[in-house]
Amino acid sequence: MCWGVPARVVEIREYTAIVDFGGGSTREVVLAANGIKEGDLVMVHAGAIIGRISEEEILSSLELYKEMATSLADSEERREIEEYIQRYKQLLGVGHK
Amino acid sequence: MAESPESLQVLRYDAAAASSIKKTIWRLANKLGSKKIKLMNFCGTHEWTTVHFGLRSLMPPNVELVAGPGCPVCVTPSYYIEQAIKLSMDGVRVFSFGDAFKLPSLRRVKGARSLEDAKALGGNVEVVYSFLDAVKKASKDGKDSVFLGIGFETTTPSYSIPLYGGHVPENLYFMSVLRLTPPAASYAIEAALERGVTPVQGIIAPGHVSTITGAKPWDEMARRFGIPAVVSGFEPLDLLMSIAMLLKMIWEGEARVVIEYKRLVSWEGNRYVQEVNSRVFSVEDAAWRGLGFIPESGLELKGSYAAHDAFKEFGVKRLSAEEWSYDLPAACKCADITLGLAKPTDCPLFKRVCMPEHPIGPCMVSLEGTCAVWARFGGGGLAEEIAKEVGV
Ligand code: SF4
Ligand code: SF4
């Protein structure tokens, strides 16, 4: 019952929303967060939208980690870390800002 | 921005990233010397990720990952399951989530030991995906119904928002067995201190519970116990990063909270849900299965919302601290497992008699129950092997 599943908001209704879990599977769920818009990526838990997933912030956990890891790493490893964070940025389409 | 949820997949599994983070973890663990470092999670989904992706096998010998109270299904007192069975046998329609449907009670009620049994014996039980589905059904057919309201903070809005908005029909009653995570987490940490076993030195705080509560309660706990906490996401890389962050804070002697799961969790949490919850529910002392009463750890309907209270409507008594008695089957170690004091392989019934297809204790039922997770993914002796590696 407790799994959080990410989904895309398709339609906002009175106190509910229609979300798309991918692959065309949609469902009506309770809207339990402020400021949710159509098209947002959200977390659905037990039939309610509990929050918006910030796609920008996905990177920030990686940055947070990078900062910590590089302060401890040797130069070889530092390069590895840089490399995979770069790869993620590209995957997320924010690579070359 | 890439099309998501695929964009989330970057955190799923990346061998290079995992190995680099692993190096960082080992380096930090090394600095901490040989003394055992115990990190506790409070979420069944974290335990699932830990076992499913074999994260324990990546840990240095002195770092031990333990599972705390992380599954609301496992901790629902047997008494309330029994009351739900009874109502269903008396013809009241009982709505339940899928895993609570299978949850075994301690005592048989009219021959049934679970809602599933009750249904097979003619009880009126219906499994639904969510409270909203029950609201719709009950509105349509007008039948007297009870919803078995299990859950932690994360599940509260699926109940409180329809109630607050006046969308719940008069014929749908709510049996609240909602429980709060931070009080149970404190209880588990204290239990380890009292029993004199290796104390918990770091908290892996539950990401989805914290979406509602915010990181704040974990910061209070971190300061109170003098240990660090990281609010973590659920992908393997999230957890590995969180573990590395915890070790770093332990090494630096910091006792505060850091949010790793920034894509969903803020310091304050979901203020809208907090506000609605505070109008619909009151916080009460509540019973946890196998553990007993924990102060201010449960939610009950209050004010005008009590018109939907299944306890009142059907004359079902709430458990009191005096009446509560130990409610686990003999030999079942769910209580100690829930507190992170034992592991599933310590239970003589684990995978011999007690299996996901045939659960004896509550931790074997829900997808997130620690025993169920170990049984499903730790098969073939791997669980023992992992346990040996961790040295528990
Ligand atoms: S309610 Fe959320 S945080 Fe708690 S066990 Fe389930 S998924 Fe984890
Ligand atoms: S294996 Fe079964 S009986 Fe043993 S502790 Fe786990 S749930 Fe309880």
Side-chain angles (χ1 to χ4, degrees):
Chain A
M1 65 169 286
C2 295
W3 293 90
V5 184
R8 196 58 85 179
V9 177
V10 181
E11 187 192 324
I12 304 279
R13 296 190 174 172
E14 190 195 347
Y15 73 105
T16 62
I18 306 293
V19 294
D20 183 349
F21 291 106
S25 128
T26 58
R27 198 176 255 292
E28 185 176 7
V29 295
V30 169
L31 191 54
N34 270 333
I36 301 288
K37 298 182 301 300
E38 282 165 19
D40 279 353
L41 181 64
V42 293
M43 187 57 75
V44 176
H45 185 105
I49 294 175
I50 56 167
R52 190 178 82 90
I53 301 173
S54 154
E55 289 169 83
E56 304 77 51
E57 291 287 354
I58 294 175
L59 271 181
S60 92
S61 21
L62 287 166
E63 291 288 345
L64 187 66
Y65 166 71
K66 178 179 118 182
E67 209 176 280
M68 185 195 74
T70 45
S71 71
L72 297 161
D74 52 40
S75 60
E76 170 68 8
E77 218 190 314
R78 228 169 266 169
R79 219 182 43 241
E80 280 173 21
I81 296 168
E82 286 290 353
E83 262 173 35
Y84 76 69
I85 289 185
Q86 208 43 50
R87 205 162 61 239
Y88 286 143
K89 287 189 180 172
Q90 278 166 10
L91 268 168
L92 288 170
V94 292
H96 306 289
K97 265 202 249 170
Chain B
M1 192 59 55
E3 259 309 293
S4 299
E6 292 79 40
S7 67
L8 296 175
Q9 305 244 325
V10 296
L11 291 163
R12 172 96 332 189
Y13 199 74
D14 179 304
S19 110
S20 160
I21 303 177
K22 181 186 158 187
K23 272 187 218 159
T24 309
I25 290 174
W26 279 67
R27 195 172 281 138
L28 284 162
N30 210 9
K31 283 186 200 282
L32 287 162
S34 58
K35 80 171 197 272
K36 260 237 171 321
I37 310 288
K38 190 160 154 186
L39 308 178
M40 186 177 265
N41 72 55
F42 297 97
C43 170
T45 310
H46 279 153
E47 183 59 15
W48 185 91
T49 304
T50 303
V51 175
H52 188 81
F53 292 95
L55 300 189
R56 286 199 170 88
S57 65
L58 300 179
M59 291 300 118
N62 57 333
V63 174
E64 183 185 339
L65 304 178
V66 295
C71 169
V73 177
C74 307
V75 299
T76 299
S78 177
Y79 170 80
Y80 293 117
I81 307 298
E82 289 154 25
Q83 294 304 319
I85 294 174
K86 189 164 173 297
L87 285 171
S88 80
M89 297 296 247
D90 291 343
V92 179
R93 173 173 53 189
V94 174
F95 287 114
S96 164
F97 284 119
D99 29 17
F101 180 61
K102 293 188 159 45
L103 194 61
S105 63
L106 187 64
R107 291 159 287 255
R108 270 181 203 280
V109 180
K110 300 189 176 176
R113 261 197 71 210
S114 66
L115 287 168
E116 190 177 27
D117 284 0
K119 187 168 187 160
L121 294 169
N124 194 350
V125 185
E126 206 170 317
V127 174
V128 283
Y129 163 79
S130 70
F131 185 59
L132 185 61
D133 291 358
V135 167
K136 286 187 172 166
K137 283 195 180 176
S139 303
K140 216 186 234 164
D141 62 24
K143 285 187 197 153
D144 267 358
S145 316
V146 167
F147 193 96
L148 181 59
I150 286 182
F152 287 156
E153 290 86 340
T154 348
T155 315
T156 54
S158 72
Y159 307 130
S160 62
I161 288 175
L163 280 162
Y164 183 65
H167 304 288
V168 180
E170 274 174 13
N171 54 310
L172 178 57
Y173 298 92
F174 184 69
M175 187 184 259
S176 176
V177 273
L178 288 166
R179 295 292 177 263
L180 302 175
T181 319
S186 299
Y187 185 91
I189 294 172
E190 276 163 0
L193 289 172
E194 263 166 39
R195 295 229 202 147
V197 299
T198 318
V200 177
Q201 276 142 295
I203 297 169
I204 301 174
H208 292 150
V209 164
S210 307
T211 304
I212 304 297
T213 64
K216 232 178 176 167
W218 305 104
D219 198 54
E220 285 155 19
M221 201 172 302
R223 291 175 199 282
R224 173 163 156 225
F225 291 104
I227 58 178
V230 173
V231 179
S232 177
F234 298 93
E235 300 299 343
L237 287 186
D238 284 320
L239 268 175
L240 287 173
M241 283 193 267
S242 301
I243 292 164
M245 289 169 185
L246 278 176
L247 293 177
K248 179 149 188 277
M249 286 196 280
I250 293 172
W251 177 49
E252 287 168 351
E254 284 193 69
R256 61 185 177 96
V257 70
V258 168
I259 307 171
E260 183 275 335
Y261 201 30
K262 278 199 186 150
R263 56 189 186 274
L264 205 56
V265 177
S266 64
W267 175 256
E268 293 288 345
N270 186 329
R271 299 287 295 270
Y272 171 55
V273 171
Q274 290 169 16
E275 178 60 28
V276 171
N277 280 357
S278 73
R279 295 184 186 199
V280 173
F281 300 118
S282 60
V283 178
E284 308 286 342
D285 298 352
W288 292 61
R289 188 162 188 180
L291 304 180
F293 267 71
I294 302 182
E296 301 189 354
S297 68
L299 296 179
E300 299 289 355
L301 292 175
K302 75 170 185 193
S304 60
Y305 304 98
H308 287 282
D309 193 337
F311 294 107
K312 288 212 174 92
E313 177 64 20
F314 297 99
V316 177
K317 261 183 68 183
R318 275 197 195 83
L319 264 180
S320 69
E322 299 72 47
E323 281 162 334
W324 183 83
S325 61
Y326 186 75
D327 55 355
L328 287 173
C332 172
K333 291 200 179 298
C334 280
D336 277 1
I337 290 169
T338 301
L339 294 176
L341 300 173
K343 54 189 194 300
T345 44
D346 293 334
C347 174
L349 309 181
F350 180 70
K351 285 180 65 192
R352 296 199 177 86
V353 197
C354 182
M355 283 165 277
E357 308 73 48
H358 178 256
I360 304 284
C363 312
M364 192 55 99
V365 181
S366 149
L367 262 180
E368 299 147 55
T370 306
C371 292
V373 171
W374 281 52
R376 283 201 174 86
F377 304 110
L382 186 65
E384 276 90 351
E385 222 172 89
I386 292 170
K388 213 184 294 157
E389 251 172 71
V390 179
V392 286

